[in-house]
Amino acid sequence: MCDICRSADPSVAVELRHNVGMLFMRQTHATDGRLCATCLGRAYRKHQLSNLVFGWWGMISFFMTWAYLVNNTVTYFQARGELQGMASRSEKRRVAPQGSPSERLEPFRYTVRLRLRNAEDLAAIASDLADTHQVPLSDARAFVDALAAEPVEALERA
């Protein structure tokens, strides 16, 4: 989870810094946390631009700016590589569902009965099943309708 935008996209731990030189003093600012690809790019650009504009104004700041520019660049490209590796691994793990839609939905008979007993909308239950278990909406709707048509005693035993 990204620490900035809170998205569930893959994220990596990074630390990016920039320096603000003030002739006789300096300030250091950092972004330290787990960032998604979008926030990583934004943070990298922000820190690099700040280093290039505000980093040079002081003796120590001049040298620290160079160090931060190089370090941020190395960190950015390592993090991008790690994010790309995560994406390729998640693609490899993605498995095509096996069996017919009714076979894939059968283990969720009890859950659907509970939702029917709570008087939830049939269309909402079918939509949830279709989205979650990668079955056509028509098959999910037929499964829910078949369970709804069962005697009330079957629903109450659930």
Side-chain angles (χ1 to χ4, degrees), residues 105-126:
L105 292 175
E106 188 60 35
F108 305 101
R109 179 179 290 273
Y110 177 77
T111 305
V112 172
R113 283 184 177 156
L114 287 177
R115 292 180 71 178
L116 289 170
R117 190 170 63 182
N118 291 333
E120 289 188 43
D121 182 39
L122 298 178
I125 297 171

Side-chain angles (χ1 to χ4, degrees), residues 2-5 12-19 29-51 68-69 71-73 75-76 79-80:
C2 179
D3 290 340
I4 293 178
C5 68
V12 292
V14 295
E15 182 177 358
L16 300 169
R17 297 186 179 281
H18 74 264
N19 180 66
H29 302 274
T31 299
D32 187 11
R34 296 194 65 79
L35 304 181
C36 65
T38 304
C39 293
L40 174 66
R42 285 185 193 140
Y44 174 72
R45 287 187 298 275
K46 176 190 126 188
H47 286 289
Q48 295 298 79
L49 183 61
S50 296
N51 272 322
Y68 288 156
L69 286 169
N71 189 45
N72 288 347
T73 301
T75 300
Y76 173 75
R80 290 295 302 214

